[in-house]
Amino acid sequence: MKLFVQIPCLNEEQTLPDVLETIPTSIPGIDEIEILIIDDGSTDRTVEVAKAHGVTHFVRHTRNMGLARSFRDGVDYALLHGADIVVNTDGDNQYPQAHITELVQPILTGDADIVIGDRQTRTIEHFSGFKKTMQQFGSFVASRAAGLDLPDAASGFRAYSKYSLIRLNIVTRFSYCMETIVQAGYKRLAIASIPITTNAKTRESRLFKNIWQHMFQSGSAIARVYLMYRPMALFASVSAVFGVAGLIPFVRYLVLLLADSGGNHLQSLILGVTLVIAALLSITIGVVADLTRLNRTLAEEQLDMQKLARYGD
């Protein structure tokens, strides 16, 4: 059983030594532990620091490609080099690496395909009250979209089985965190959460400028993936809203007509017809989108076969 611990890095020469020095060197049930550095366009001595600490596996981007692409390229490298489990952590030393031992256990026992480290955001001192609330709300939305119950959907400290990585396909550019959760829920992968602690904050996030950008990007990723995999549920809901709203003007028209209140009340008829047409268009778009989803499912099954051939059984 081979474990790859992959660390996406962007100018992490200051904090990377603390990360590398605290990664477990042995874990019961794991035969080999390899460390992979994904250098996402660093301009400092990140790579030199990693080499000085004995790291031999590198994926390098000549310019910054973003977290999602770094994750995808790291996974491809790890699987090509025989990984059975991939743990993703951060180069800023946010996560205590000792938790890796706990993180991989549900995969080793066959109880989960993906394990997420729950940061217990309510207890993080440097998170503002607003940020804690938004983190909880974001986890609730992502959980609902995936049909799961996850306390910390935004946590990037995760363990993935080889099987789950073959099934997942990253298409967004901002972050893989929300996207993989919605996909995993749709593809019926088993996800577990374990409580973890976090280290003191070392720097501001380089993934987003502020909480508002993070909320927008995360929300967009959830909406896009949900639309990809559950379009009929979305468009049927929109159609139902338009349909119910369209009935109200018709009811008003009939009430006024029976009351003989005078006038032809064409505005009610026009509004009602417009809303009903919108409902019909929504359900039509939903049908087309659902057919596209079916084609996507067939294409992903073919992609799974190609990945199996590429990475081995």
Side-chain angles (χ1 to χ4, degrees):
M1 184 71 70
K2 180 182 286 190
L3 166 66
F4 261 80
V5 179
Q6 67 173 32
I7 312 172
C9 292
L10 175 60
N11 297 330
E12 306 288 9
E13 66 174 348
Q14 298 297 323
T15 55
L16 188 57
D18 292 330
V19 177
L20 296 174
E21 290 166 7
T22 54
I23 292 175
T25 56
S26 65
I27 297 174
I30 300 293
D31 301 310
E32 299 177 63
I33 300 176
E34 303 284 356
I35 299 174
L36 166 63
I37 298 294
I38 303 126
D39 172 27
D40 193 25
S42 296
T43 55
D44 65 356
R45 298 182 61 258
T46 292
V47 172
E48 288 77 5
V49 168
K51 288 180 178 178
H53 282 77
V55 178
T56 58
H57 298 283
F58 294 89
V59 171
R60 303 192 68 176
H61 296 158
T62 54
R63 60 174 296 182
N64 180 254
M65 302 294 288
L67 184 58
R69 181 58 184 265
S70 296
F71 175 79
R72 189 175 67 183
D73 289 351
V75 165
D76 181 64
Y77 181 99
L79 293 181
L80 281 174
H81 287 77
D84 298 295
I85 301 174
V86 174
V87 166
N88 192 88
T89 187
D90 282 348
D92 62 0
N93 199 35
Q94 176 185 175
Y95 309 112
Q97 307 309 316
H99 285 305
I100 291 175
T101 300
E102 305 163 52
L103 204 65
V104 300
Q105 292 308 311
I107 295 177
L108 291 174
T109 58
D111 295 322
D113 301 302
I114 301 171
V115 185
I116 301 174
D118 173 16
R119 295 169 295 176
Q120 306 176 82
T121 52
R122 290 184 180 180
T123 66
I124 300 179
E125 293 183 359
H126 65 265
F127 275 20
S128 66
F130 177 74
K131 187 172 183 178
K132 291 178 181 179
T133 301
M134 289 300 99
Q135 289 281 358
Q136 292 165 16
F137 177 72
S139 294
F140 170 77
V141 172
S143 296
R144 292 287 294 176
L148 301 167
D149 183 15
L150 302 172
D152 189 9
S155 173
F157 191 49
R158 302 180 177 189
Y160 294 85
S161 68
K162 181 178 181 179
Y163 172 75
S164 69
L165 292 171
I166 288 175
R167 296 291 312 281
L168 296 172
N169 300 297
I170 309 301
V171 296
T172 56
R173 297 179 61 183
F174 172 66
S175 173
Y176 65 92
C177 293
M178 298 301 184
E179 179 181 1
T180 52
I181 285 174
V182 179
Q183 280 197 42
Y186 174 77
K187 296 179 179 181
R188 309 297 293 174
L189 297 175
I191 304 181
S193 292
I194 64 165
I196 63 169
T197 56
T198 56
N199 292 324
K201 184 177 180 180
T202 57
R203 60 166 174 77
E204 295 297 329
S205 173
R206 297 192 180 114
L207 184 60
F208 51 87
K209 296 178 181 178
N210 52 59
I211 186 64
W212 301 105
Q213 183 190 28
H214 178 59
M215 289 167 57
F216 176 78
Q217 296 280 17
S218 298
S220 298
I222 293 172
R224 186 182 300 113
V225 179
Y226 189 82
L227 186 59
M228 286 168 53
Y229 290 99
R230 303 179 188 273
M232 183 55 78
L234 177 62
F235 285 106
S237 299
V238 173
S239 179
V241 170
F242 279 127
V244 171
L247 290 176
I248 296 174
F250 284 120
V251 172
R252 178 180 183 274
Y253 174 79
L254 290 174
V255 170
L256 294 175
L257 185 66
L258 293 174
D260 195 20
S261 60
N264 52 26
H265 308 295
L266 288 179
Q267 67 275 19
S268 294
L269 287 177
I270 293 172
L271 179 59
V273 169
T274 301
L275 290 171
V276 169
I277 290 174
L280 293 174
L281 286 174
S282 296
I283 200 66
T284 301
I285 294 172
V287 171
V288 173
D290 197 55
L291 292 175
T292 302
R293 177 192 62 81
L294 293 175
N295 286 330
R296 180 187 303 279
T297 300
L298 294 174
E300 288 192 340
E301 289 179 356
Q302 292 298 316
L303 184 58
D304 289 349
M305 296 299 104
Q306 293 175 18
K307 287 181 179 180
L308 284 171
R310 178 176 173 81
Y311 302 130
D313 292 337

